[in-house]
Coordinates of all heavy atoms in Angstrom, one line a residue:
I1 N 138.9 -11.4 20.4 CA 140.0 -11.7 19.5 C 139.6 -12.7 18.5 O 138.5 -13.4 18.6 CB 141.3 -12.2 20.2 CG1 141.0 -13.5 21.0 CG2 141.8 -11.1 21.2 CD1 142.2 -14.0 21.7
E2 N 140.4 -12.9 17.4 CA 140.1 -13.9 16.4 C 140.1 -15.3 17.1 O 140.9 -15.6 17.9 CB 141.1 -13.9 15.3 CG 141.0 -12.6 14.5 CD 141.8 -11.5 15.1 OE1 142.4 -11.7 16.2 OE2 141.9 -10.4 14.5
F3 N 139.2 -16.2 16.6 CA 139.0 -17.5 17.2 C 140.3 -18.3 17.3 O 140.5 -18.9 18.3 CB 137.9 -18.3 16.4 CG 137.5 -19.5 17.1 CD1 136.6 -19.4 18.2 CD2 137.9 -20.7 16.7 CE1 136.2 -20.6 18.9 CE2 137.5 -21.9 17.4 CZ 136.7 -21.8 18.5
E4 N 141.1 -18.3 16.2 CA 142.3 -19.1 16.2 C 143.3 -18.6 17.3 O 144.2 -19.4 17.7 CB 143.0 -19.2 14.9 CG 143.4 -17.8 14.3 CD 142.4 -17.1 13.4 OE1 141.2 -17.5 13.5 OE2 142.8 -16.2 12.7
Y5 N 143.2 -17.4 17.8 CA 144.0 -16.9 18.9 C 143.4 -17.0 20.3 O 144.1 -16.6 21.2 CB 144.5 -15.5 18.6 CG 145.2 -15.3 17.3 CD1 144.6 -14.6 16.2 CD2 146.4 -15.9 17.0 CE1 145.2 -14.5 15.0 CE2 147.0 -15.8 15.8 CZ 146.4 -15.1 14.8 OH 147.0 -15.0 13.6
A6 N 142.2 -17.5 20.3 CA 141.5 -17.5 21.6 C 141.8 -18.8 22.3 O 141.4 -19.9 21.9 CB 140.0 -17.4 21.4
K7 N 142.7 -18.8 23.3 CA 143.1 -20.0 24.0 C 142.0 -20.9 24.5 O 142.1 -22.1 24.3 CB 144.0 -19.6 25.2 CG 144.6 -20.7 26.0 CD 145.5 -20.3 27.1 CE 146.0 -21.4 27.9 NZ 146.9 -21.0 29.0
Y8 N 140.9 -20.3 25.0 CA 139.8 -21.1 25.5 C 138.6 -21.1 24.5 O 137.5 -21.4 24.9 CB 139.4 -20.7 26.9 CG 140.4 -20.9 27.9 CD1 141.1 -19.9 28.5 CD2 140.7 -22.2 28.3 CE1 142.1 -20.1 29.4 CE2 141.7 -22.4 29.3 CZ 142.4 -21.4 29.8 OH 143.4 -21.6 30.8
G9 N 138.8 -20.6 23.3 CA 137.7 -20.6 22.3 C 136.8 -19.4 22.6 O 137.3 -18.3 23.0
M10 N 135.5 -19.6 22.4 CA 134.5 -18.5 22.5 C 133.4 -19.0 23.4 O 132.9 -20.1 23.2 CB 134.0 -18.1 21.1 CG 133.0 -17.0 21.2 SD 132.5 -16.5 19.5 CE 131.2 -17.7 19.3
T11 N 133.0 -18.2 24.3 CA 131.8 -18.6 25.2 C 130.6 -18.3 24.4 O 130.5 -17.3 23.6 CB 131.8 -17.8 26.5 OG1 130.8 -18.3 27.3 CG2 131.7 -16.3 26.3
G12 N 129.6 -19.2 24.5 CA 128.4 -19.0 23.8 C 127.2 -19.4 24.6 O 126.1 -18.8 24.5
L13 N 127.3 -20.4 25.4 CA 126.2 -20.9 26.2 C 125.6 -19.8 27.2 O 124.4 -19.7 27.4 CB 126.6 -22.1 27.1 CG 125.5 -22.8 27.8 CD1 124.4 -23.3 26.8 CD2 126.1 -24.0 28.6
E14 N 126.5 -18.9 27.7 CA 126.1 -17.9 28.6 C 125.2 -16.8 28.0 O 124.5 -16.1 28.7 CB 127.3 -17.3 29.3 CG 128.0 -18.3 30.2 CD 129.2 -17.7 30.9 OE1 129.0 -16.8 31.7 OE2 130.3 -18.1 30.5
T15 N 125.3 -16.7 26.7 CA 124.5 -15.7 26.0 C 123.5 -16.3 25.0 O 122.7 -15.5 24.4 CB 125.4 -14.7 25.2 OG1 126.2 -15.4 24.3 CG2 126.3 -13.9 26.2
A16 N 123.5 -17.6 24.8 CA 122.7 -18.2 23.8 C 121.2 -17.9 23.9 O 120.6 -17.5 22.9 CB 122.8 -19.7 23.9
Y17 N 120.6 -18.0 25.1 CA 119.1 -17.7 25.2 C 118.9 -16.2 24.9 O 118.0 -15.9 24.1 CB 118.6 -18.0 26.6 CG 117.2 -17.5 26.8 CD1 116.1 -18.0 26.1 CD2 117.1 -16.4 27.7 CE1 114.9 -17.4 26.3 CE2 115.8 -15.9 27.9 CZ 114.7 -16.4 27.2 OH 113.5 -15.8 27.4
A18 N 119.7 -15.3 25.4 CA 119.5 -13.9 25.3 C 119.6 -13.5 23.8 O 118.9 -12.6 23.3 CB 120.4 -13.1 26.2
V19 N 120.6 -14.0 23.1 CA 120.9 -13.7 21.7 C 119.7 -14.2 20.9 O 119.2 -13.4 20.1 CB 122.2 -14.3 21.2 CG1 122.3 -14.2 19.7 CG2 123.4 -13.7 21.9
L20 N 119.2 -15.4 21.1 CA 118.0 -15.9 20.4 C 116.8 -15.0 20.7 O 116.1 -14.6 19.8 CB 117.8 -17.3 20.8 CG 116.6 -18.0 20.2 CD1 116.8 -18.1 18.7 CD2 116.4 -19.4 20.8
N21 N 116.6 -14.7 21.9 CA 115.4 -13.9 22.3 C 115.5 -12.5 21.8 O 114.4 -11.9 21.4 CB 115.3 -13.9 23.9 CG 114.0 -13.4 24.4 OD1 112.9 -13.8 23.9 ND2 114.0 -12.5 25.3
T22 N 116.7 -11.9 21.7 CA 116.9 -10.6 21.1 C 116.8 -10.6 19.6 O 116.2 -9.7 19.0 CB 118.2 -10.0 21.6 OG1 118.3 -10.0 23.0 CG2 118.4 -8.6 21.1
A23 N 117.4 -11.6 19.0 CA 117.4 -11.6 17.5 C 116.1 -11.9 16.9 O 115.8 -11.4 15.8 CB 118.4 -12.7 17.0
I24 N 115.2 -12.6 17.6 CA 113.9 -13.0 17.1 C 112.8 -12.5 18.1 O 112.3 -13.3 18.9 CB 113.8 -14.5 16.8 CG1 114.9 -15.0 16.0 CG2 112.4 -14.8 16.2 CD1 115.0 -16.5 15.9
P25 N 112.5 -11.2 18.1 CA 111.5 -10.6 19.0 C 110.2 -11.4 18.9 O 109.8 -11.7 17.8 CB 111.4 -9.2 18.6 CG 112.6 -8.9 17.8 CD 113.0 -10.1 17.2
G26 N 109.6 -11.7 20.0 CA 108.3 -12.4 20.0 C 108.4 -13.9 19.9 O 107.4 -14.6 19.9
I27 N 109.7 -14.5 19.8 CA 109.8 -15.9 19.8 C 109.2 -16.5 21.1 O 109.3 -16.0 22.2 CB 111.3 -16.4 19.6 CG1 111.3 -17.9 19.3 CG2 112.1 -16.0 20.8 CD1 112.7 -18.3 18.9
S28 N 108.5 -17.6 20.9 CA 107.8 -18.2 22.1 C 108.8 -18.9 23.0 O 109.8 -19.4 22.5 CB 106.7 -19.1 21.6 OG 107.2 -20.3 21.1
T29 N 108.4 -19.0 24.2 CA 109.2 -19.8 25.2 C 109.3 -21.2 24.7 O 110.4 -21.8 24.8 CB 108.6 -19.7 26.6 OG1 108.6 -18.4 27.0 CG2 109.4 -20.5 27.6
E30 N 108.2 -21.8 24.2 CA 108.2 -23.1 23.7 C 109.2 -23.4 22.6 O 109.9 -24.4 22.6 CB 106.8 -23.6 23.3 CG 105.8 -23.6 24.4 CD 105.2 -22.3 24.8 OE1 105.5 -21.2 24.2 OE2 104.5 -22.3 25.9
R31 N 109.3 -22.4 21.7 CA 110.2 -22.5 20.6 C 111.7 -22.4 21.1 O 112.6 -23.1 20.6 CB 110.0 -21.4 19.5 CG 110.8 -21.5 18.3 CD 110.5 -22.8 17.5 NE 111.3 -22.7 16.2 CZ 111.9 -23.8 15.7 NH1 111.8 -25.0 16.2 NH2 112.6 -23.6 14.6
C32 N 112.0 -21.5 22.0 CA 113.3 -21.4 22.6 C 113.7 -22.7 23.2 O 114.8 -23.2 23.0 CB 113.4 -20.3 23.6 SG 113.4 -18.6 22.9
V33 N 112.8 -23.3 24.0 CA 113.1 -24.6 24.6 C 113.4 -25.7 23.6 O 114.3 -26.5 23.7 CB 112.0 -25.0 25.6 CG1 112.1 -26.5 26.0 CG2 111.8 -24.1 26.8
E34 N 112.6 -25.7 22.5 CA 112.8 -26.6 21.4 C 114.2 -26.5 20.8 O 114.9 -27.4 20.6 CB 111.7 -26.5 20.4 CG 111.8 -27.4 19.2 CD 110.7 -27.2 18.2 OE1 109.9 -26.2 18.3 OE2 110.7 -28.0 17.2
L35 N 114.6 -25.2 20.5 CA 115.8 -25.0 19.9 C 117.1 -25.2 20.8 O 118.1 -25.7 20.3 CB 115.9 -23.5 19.3 CG 114.9 -23.2 18.2 CD1 114.8 -21.7 17.9 CD2 115.3 -24.0 16.9
L36 N 117.0 -24.8 22.0 CA 118.1 -24.9 22.9 C 118.2 -26.1 23.8 O 119.3 -26.4 24.3 CB 118.1 -23.6 23.8 CG 118.2 -22.3 23.1 CD1 118.1 -21.1 24.0 CD2 119.6 -22.2 22.3
A37 N 117.1 -26.8 24.0 CA 117.1 -28.0 24.9 C 116.7 -29.3 24.2 O 117.4 -30.3 24.3 CB 116.3 -27.7 26.1
I38 N 115.6 -29.3 23.5 CA 115.0 -30.5 22.9 C 115.8 -31.0 21.7 O 116.3 -32.1 21.7 CB 113.5 -30.3 22.6 CG1 112.8 -30.1 23.9 CG2 113.0 -31.5 21.8 CD1 111.3 -29.7 23.7
N39 N 116.0 -30.1 20.7 CA 116.7 -30.5 19.5 C 118.2 -30.9 19.7 O 118.6 -31.9 19.1 CB 116.6 -29.4 18.5 CG 115.2 -29.3 17.9 OD1 114.4 -30.1 18.1 ND2 115.0 -28.2 17.1
P40 N 118.9 -30.2 20.6 CA 120.3 -30.7 20.8 C 120.3 -32.1 21.4 O 121.2 -32.9 21.0 CB 120.9 -29.7 21.8 CG 120.1 -28.4 21.5 CD 118.7 -28.9 21.2
R41 N 119.4 -32.5 22.2 CA 119.4 -33.8 22.8 C 119.1 -34.8 21.7 O 119.7 -35.9 21.6 CB 118.3 -33.9 23.9 CG 118.7 -33.1 25.2 CD 117.7 -33.3 26.2 NE 117.8 -34.6 26.9 CZ 118.6 -34.9 27.9 NH1 119.3 -33.9 28.4 NH2 118.6 -36.1 28.4
K42 N 118.2 -34.5 20.8 CA 117.9 -35.3 19.6 C 119.1 -35.5 18.8 O 119.4 -36.7 18.3 CB 116.7 -34.7 18.8 CG 115.4 -34.8 19.4 CD 114.3 -34.2 18.5 CE 113.0 -34.2 19.1 NZ 112.0 -33.5 18.3
L43 N 119.8 -34.4 18.5 CA 121.0 -34.5 17.6 C 122.1 -35.5 18.2 O 122.8 -36.1 17.4 CB 121.6 -33.1 17.4 CG 120.9 -32.2 16.5 CD1 121.5 -30.8 16.5 CD2 120.9 -32.7 15.0
F44 N 122.2 -35.5 19.5 CA 123.2 -36.3 20.1 C 122.6 -37.7 20.6 O 123.3 -38.5 21.2 CB 123.8 -35.6 21.4 CG 124.7 -34.5 21.0 CD1 124.3 -33.2 21.1 CD2 126.0 -34.8 20.5 CE1 125.2 -32.1 20.7 CE2 126.9 -33.8 20.1 CZ 126.4 -32.4 20.2
G45 N 121.4 -38.0 20.1 CA 120.8 -39.3 20.4 C 120.5 -39.5 21.9 O 120.5 -40.7 22.3
M46 N 120.3 -38.5 22.6 CA 120.0 -38.6 24.0 C 118.5 -38.7 24.3 O 117.7 -38.2 23.4 CB 120.5 -37.3 24.8 CG 122.0 -37.1 24.7 SD 122.5 -35.5 25.3 CE 122.3 -35.7 27.0
D47 N 118.1 -39.3 25.3 CA 116.7 -39.4 25.7 C 116.1 -38.1 26.0 O 116.9 -37.2 26.5 CB 116.5 -40.3 26.9 CG 116.8 -41.8 26.6 OD1 116.7 -42.2 25.5 OD2 117.2 -42.5 27.6
A48 N 114.9 -37.9 25.8 CA 114.2 -36.6 26.1 C 114.2 -36.4 27.6 O 114.1 -37.3 28.4 CB 112.8 -36.6 25.6
A49 N 114.5 -35.1 28.0 CA 114.4 -34.8 29.4 C 113.0 -34.8 29.9 O 112.1 -34.4 29.2 CB 115.0 -33.4 29.7
T50 N 112.8 -35.3 31.1 CA 111.4 -35.4 31.6 C 111.3 -34.8 33.0 O 112.4 -34.7 33.7 CB 110.9 -36.9 31.7 OG1 111.8 -37.6 32.5 CG2 110.9 -37.5 30.3
I51 N 110.2 -34.4 33.4 CA 109.9 -34.0 34.8 C 108.8 -34.9 35.3 O 107.7 -35.0 34.8 CB 109.4 -32.5 34.8 CG1 110.5 -31.6 34.2 CG2 109.1 -32.1 36.2 CD1 110.0 -30.1 34.0
N52 N 109.2 -35.6 36.4 CA 108.3 -36.6 36.9 C 108.1 -36.4 38.4 O 109.0 -36.0 39.1 CB 108.8 -38.0 36.7 CG 109.0 -38.4 35.3 OD1 108.0 -38.2 34.5 ND2 110.1 -38.9 34.9
T53 N 106.9 -36.6 38.9 CA 106.6 -36.5 40.3 C 107.5 -37.4 41.1 O 107.7 -38.6 40.7 CB 105.1 -36.9 40.6 OG1 104.3 -36.1 39.8 CG2 104.8 -36.8 42.1
G54 N 108.1 -36.9 42.1 CA 109.0 -37.7 43.0 C 110.5 -37.7 42.5 O 111.4 -38.2 43.2
S55 N 110.7 -37.2 41.3 CA 112.1 -37.1 40.7 C 112.7 -35.7 40.9 O 111.9 -34.7 40.9 CB 112.1 -37.5 39.3 OG 111.7 -38.8 39.1
K56 N 114.0 -35.6 41.0 CA 114.6 -34.3 41.1 C 114.8 -33.8 39.7 O 115.3 -34.5 38.8 CB 116.0 -34.4 41.8 CG 115.8 -34.8 43.2 CD 117.1 -34.8 43.9 CE 116.9 -35.1 45.4 NZ 118.1 -35.2 46.2
A57 N 114.3 -32.6 39.5 CA 114.4 -31.9 38.2 C 115.7 -31.2 37.9 O 116.3 -30.7 38.9 CB 113.2 -31.0 38.0
S58 N 116.0 -31.0 36.7 CA 117.1 -30.1 36.3 C 116.5 -29.1 35.4 O 116.0 -29.4 34.3 CB 118.2 -30.8 35.5 OG 119.0 -31.5 36.4
L59 N 116.4 -27.8 35.9 CA 115.7 -26.8 35.1 C 116.5 -25.5 35.1 O 117.3 -25.3 36.0 CB 114.3 -26.4 35.8 CG 113.3 -27.6 36.0 CD1 112.2 -27.1 36.9 CD2 112.8 -28.0 34.7
T60 N 116.4 -24.7 34.0 CA 117.0 -23.4 34.0 C 115.9 -22.4 34.2 O 114.8 -22.5 33.6 CB 117.6 -23.2 32.6 OG1 118.6 -24.2 32.3 CG2 118.3 -21.8 32.5
L61 N 116.2 -21.4 35.1 CA 115.3 -20.3 35.4 C 115.7 -19.1 34.5 O 116.9 -18.8 34.4 CB 115.4 -20.0 36.8 CG 115.2 -21.1 37.8 CD1 115.5 -20.7 39.2 CD2 113.9 -21.7 37.7
F62 N 114.8 -18.5 33.9 CA 115.2 -17.3 33.1 C 114.1 -16.2 33.2 O 112.9 -16.5 33.5 CB 115.4 -17.7 31.6 CG 114.3 -18.4 31.0 CD1 113.3 -17.7 30.2 CD2 114.1 -19.8 31.0 CE1 112.3 -18.3 29.6 CE2 113.1 -20.4 30.4 CZ 112.1 -19.6 29.7
N63 N 114.5 -15.0 32.9 CA 113.6 -13.8 32.9 C 113.6 -13.4 31.4 O 114.6 -12.7 31.0 CB 114.1 -12.8 33.8 CG 113.3 -11.5 33.8 OD1 112.5 -11.3 32.8 ND2 113.4 -10.7 34.8
P64 N 112.6 -13.6 30.6 CA 112.6 -13.2 29.2 C 112.6 -11.7 29.0 O 112.9 -11.3 27.9 CB 111.3 -13.9 28.7 CG 110.4 -14.1 29.8 CD 111.3 -14.3 31.0
A65 N 112.2 -10.9 30.0 CA 112.1 -9.5 29.7 C 113.3 -8.7 30.3 O 113.5 -7.5 30.0 CB 110.8 -8.9 30.4
R66 N 114.2 -9.4 31.0 CA 115.3 -8.7 31.6 C 116.3 -8.1 30.5 O 116.7 -8.9 29.6 CB 116.1 -9.6 32.5 CG 117.2 -8.8 33.2 CD 117.8 -9.6 34.3 NE 119.0 -9.0 34.8 CZ 119.9 -9.6 35.6 NH1 119.7 -10.8 36.0 NH2 120.9 -8.9 36.0
Q67 N 116.6 -6.9 30.5 CA 117.5 -6.2 29.6 C 118.9 -6.1 30.3 O 118.9 -5.8 31.5 CB 117.0 -4.9 29.2 CG 115.7 -5.0 28.5 CD 115.5 -4.1 27.3 OE1 116.3 -3.2 27.1 NE2 114.5 -4.4 26.5
W68 N 119.9 -6.4 29.6 CA 121.3 -6.4 30.2 C 122.3 -6.2 29.1 O 122.1 -6.5 27.9 CB 121.5 -7.7 31.0 CG 121.5 -8.9 30.2 CD1 120.4 -9.5 29.7 CD2 122.6 -9.8 29.9 NE1 120.7 -10.7 29.0 CE2 122.1 -10.9 29.1 CE3 123.9 -9.7 30.1 CZ2 122.9 -11.9 28.6 CZ3 124.7 -10.7 29.6 CH2 124.2 -11.8 28.9
A69 N 123.5 -5.8 29.5 CA 124.6 -5.6 28.6 C 125.6 -6.7 28.9 O 125.9 -7.0 30.1 CB 125.3 -4.2 28.8
V70 N 126.1 -7.3 27.9 CA 127.1 -8.4 28.0 C 128.4 -7.8 28.4 O 128.9 -6.9 27.8 CB 127.3 -9.2 26.7 CG1 128.3 -10.3 26.9 CG2 125.9 -9.8 26.2
D71 N 129.0 -8.3 29.6 CA 130.2 -7.8 30.1 C 131.1 -9.0 30.4 O 130.7 -9.9 31.1 CB 129.9 -7.0 31.4 CG 131.2 -6.3 31.9 OD1 132.3 -6.8 31.7 OD2 131.0 -5.2 32.5
E72 N 132.3 -9.0 29.8 CA 133.1 -10.2 30.0 C 133.5 -10.5 31.4 O 133.8 -11.7 31.7 CB 134.4 -10.1 29.1 CG 135.3 -8.9 29.5 CD 136.5 -8.8 28.5 OE1 137.3 -9.7 28.4 OE2 136.6 -7.7 27.9
K73 N 133.5 -9.5 32.3 CA 133.8 -9.8 33.7 C 132.7 -10.7 34.4 O 133.0 -11.3 35.4 CB 134.0 -8.5 34.5 CG 132.7 -7.7 34.8 CD 133.0 -6.5 35.7 CE 131.9 -5.6 35.9 NZ 130.6 -6.2 36.2
D74 N 131.6 -10.8 33.8 CA 130.5 -11.6 34.3 C 130.5 -13.1 33.8 O 129.8 -13.9 34.3 CB 129.1 -11.0 34.0 CG 129.0 -9.6 34.7 OD1 129.5 -9.4 35.8 OD2 128.3 -8.8 34.1
F75 N 131.3 -13.4 32.9 CA 131.4 -14.7 32.3 C 131.9 -15.7 33.4 O 132.8 -15.5 34.1 CB 132.3 -14.8 31.1 CG 131.8 -14.1 29.9 CD1 132.6 -13.5 29.0 CD2 130.4 -14.1 29.6 CE1 132.1 -12.9 27.8 CE2 129.9 -13.5 28.5 CZ 130.8 -12.9 27.6
K76 N 131.3 -16.9 33.4 CA 131.7 -18.0 34.3 C 132.7 -18.9 33.5 O 133.4 -19.7 34.1 CB 130.5 -18.8 34.8 CG 129.4 -18.0 35.4 CD 129.9 -17.4 36.7 CE 128.7 -16.7 37.4 NZ 129.0 -15.5 38.0
S77 N 132.7 -18.9 32.2 CA 133.5 -19.7 31.4 C 135.0 -19.3 31.5 O 135.3 -18.1 31.9 CB 133.1 -19.5 29.9 OG 134.0 -20.1 29.0
K78 N 135.9 -20.2 31.2 CA 137.3 -19.8 31.1 C 137.5 -18.9 30.0 O 138.5 -18.1 30.0 CB 138.2 -21.1 30.9 CG 138.3 -21.9 32.2 CD 139.3 -23.1 31.9 CE 139.4 -23.9 33.2 NZ 140.4 -25.0 33.0
S79 N 136.7 -18.9 29.0 CA 136.8 -18.0 27.8 C 136.1 -16.7 28.2 O 135.1 -16.6 28.8 CB 136.1 -18.6 26.6 OG 136.1 -17.6 25.5
S80 N 136.7 -15.6 27.7 CA 136.1 -14.3 27.8 C 135.9 -13.7 26.4 O 135.8 -12.5 26.3 CB 137.0 -13.4 28.7 OG 138.2 -13.2 28.2
N81 N 135.9 -14.5 25.4 CA 135.8 -14.1 24.0 C 134.4 -14.3 23.6 O 133.8 -15.4 23.6 CB 136.8 -14.9 23.2 CG 137.0 -14.4 21.8 OD1 136.9 -13.2 21.6 ND2 137.2 -15.3 20.9
S82 N 133.8 -13.2 23.1 CA 132.4 -13.2 22.7 C 132.2 -12.0 21.7 O 132.6 -10.9 22.0 CB 131.4 -13.2 23.8 OG 130.1 -13.0 23.3
P83 N 131.4 -12.3 20.6 CA 131.1 -11.2 19.7 C 130.0 -10.3 20.3 O 129.7 -9.2 19.8 CB 130.6 -11.8 18.5 CG 130.1 -13.2 18.9 CD 130.9 -13.6 20.1
F84 N 129.5 -10.6 21.5 CA 128.4 -9.9 22.1 C 128.8 -9.0 23.2 O 127.9 -8.3 23.8 CB 127.3 -10.8 22.5 CG 126.8 -11.7 21.4 CD1 127.1 -13.0 21.3 CD2 126.1 -11.2 20.3 CE1 126.7 -13.8 20.2 CE2 125.7 -11.9 19.2 CZ 126.0 -13.3 19.2
I85 N 130.1 -8.9 23.5 CA 130.5 -8.0 24.6 C 130.1 -6.6 24.3 O 130.4 -6.1 23.2 CB 132.0 -8.2 24.8 CG1 132.3 -9.6 25.4 CG2 132.6 -7.1 25.8 CD1 133.8 -9.9 25.4
G86 N 129.5 -6.0 25.2 CA 129.0 -4.6 25.1 C 127.6 -4.4 24.4 O 127.1 -3.4 24.4
K87 N 127.1 -5.5 24.0 CA 125.8 -5.5 23.3 C 124.6 -5.6 24.4 O 124.8 -6.2 25.4 CB 125.6 -6.7 22.3 CG 126.6 -6.8 21.3 CD 126.4 -5.7 20.2 CE 127.4 -6.0 19.1 NZ 128.0 -4.9 18.5
Q88 N 123.6 -4.9 24.1 CA 122.4 -4.9 24.9 C 121.5 -6.1 24.4 O 121.2 -6.2 23.2 CB 121.5 -3.7 24.8 CG 122.1 -2.5 25.5 CD 122.0 -2.6 27.0 OE1 122.8 -3.1 27.7 NE2 120.9 -2.1 27.5
L89 N 121.2 -7.0 25.4 CA 120.3 -8.2 25.0 C 119.1 -8.2 25.9 O 119.1 -7.6 27.0 CB 121.1 -9.5 25.2 CG 122.4 -9.6 24.4 CD1 123.1 -10.9 24.8 CD2 122.1 -9.6 22.9
T90 N 118.1 -8.9 25.5 CA 116.9 -9.0 26.2 C 116.7 -10.5 26.5 O 116.7 -11.4 25.6 CB 115.7 -8.5 25.4 OG1 115.9 -7.2 25.1 CG2 114.4 -8.6 26.2
G91 N 116.5 -10.8 27.8 CA 116.3 -12.2 28.3 C 117.6 -12.7 28.9 O 118.6 -12.5 28.4
K92 N 117.4 -13.3 30.1 CA 118.6 -13.7 30.8 C 118.3 -14.9 31.7 O 117.3 -15.0 32.4 CB 119.1 -12.6 31.7 CG 120.4 -12.9 32.5 CD 121.3 -11.7 32.5 CE 122.5 -11.9 33.3 NZ 123.6 -12.7 32.7
A93 N 119.2 -15.9 31.6 CA 119.2 -17.0 32.5 C 119.6 -16.5 33.9 O 120.6 -15.8 34.0 CB 120.2 -18.1 32.0
I94 N 118.8 -16.8 34.9 CA 119.0 -16.2 36.2 C 119.4 -17.3 37.2 O 119.6 -17.0 38.4 CB 117.8 -15.4 36.7 CG1 116.5 -16.2 36.7 CG2 117.7 -14.1 35.8 CD1 115.4 -15.5 37.3
G95 N 119.3 -18.6 36.8 CA 119.7 -19.6 37.8 C 119.3 -21.0 37.3 O 118.7 -21.1 36.2
I96 N 119.5 -22.0 38.1 CA 119.2 -23.4 37.8 C 118.6 -24.0 39.0 O 118.8 -23.6 40.1 CB 120.3 -24.2 37.2 CG1 121.5 -24.3 38.3 CG2 120.8 -23.6 35.9 CD1 122.6 -25.2 37.9
I97 N 117.8 -25.1 38.8 CA 117.4 -26.0 39.8 C 118.0 -27.4 39.4 O 117.8 -27.9 38.3 CB 115.9 -26.1 39.9 CG1 115.3 -24.8 40.3 CG2 115.5 -27.2 40.9 CD1 113.8 -24.8 40.3
T98 N 118.9 -27.9 40.2 CA 119.5 -29.2 39.9 C 119.8 -30.0 41.2 O 120.2 -29.4 42.2 CB 120.8 -29.0 39.1 OG1 121.3 -30.3 38.8 CG2 121.9 -28.2 39.9
K99 N 119.5 -31.2 41.2 CA 119.7 -32.1 42.3 C 119.0 -31.6 43.6 O 119.6 -31.7 44.7 CB 121.2 -32.3 42.6 CG 121.9 -33.0 41.4 CD 123.4 -33.2 41.6 CE 124.0 -33.8 40.4 NZ 125.4 -33.9 40.4
G100 N 117.9 -31.0 43.4 CA 117.1 -30.5 44.5 C 117.5 -29.2 45.1 O 117.0 -28.7 46.1
K101 N 118.5 -28.5 44.4 CA 119.0 -27.2 44.9 C 118.7 -26.1 43.9 O 118.8 -26.4 42.7 CB 120.5 -27.3 45.2 CG 120.9 -28.3 46.3 CD 122.3 -28.3 46.5 CE 122.6 -29.3 47.7 NZ 124.0 -29.4 48.0
I102 N 118.5 -24.9 44.4 CA 118.3 -23.7 43.6 C 119.6 -23.0 43.6 O 120.1 -22.6 44.7 CB 117.2 -22.9 44.0 CG1 115.8 -23.6 44.0 CG2 117.1 -21.6 43.2 CD1 114.7 -22.9 44.6
I103 N 120.2 -22.7 42.4 CA 121.4 -22.0 42.3 C 121.2 -20.7 41.5 O 120.8 -20.9 40.3 CB 122.6 -22.8 41.7 CG1 122.8 -24.1 42.6 CG2 123.9 -22.0 41.6 CD1 123.7 -25.1 41.9
L104 N 121.2 -19.6 42.0 CA 121.0 -18.3 41.3 C 122.3 -17.7 40.8 O 123.3 -17.8 41.4 CB 120.2 -17.3 42.2 CG 118.9 -17.8 42.7 CD1 118.3 -16.8 43.7 CD2 117.9 -18.1 41.6
A105 N 122.2 -17.2 39.6 CA 123.3 -16.6 38.9 C 123.6 -15.2 39.5 O 122.8 -14.5 40.0 CB 123.1 -16.5 37.4

């Protein structure tokens, strides 16, 4: 639906990596990380994320080759509004590692 009528707005984070990976075939993993993780931290004045021996990491796990169709029933967000519903995308976040735990999507 139109954005102004969407009670919870529009979900974007759940498809961001796949849309970028699909829209720019051949984009490197390093460039995706820069665009989706490093640069936003810089914009908000946050310290760079680091991975250090002995520290618990926060990482996103993804499969860059996985092909999938966006289906609103799979959204975790309160919003189910997305311009990508029904679109075939390549690349999918499949889980996270946070606070020493692996959580798969």
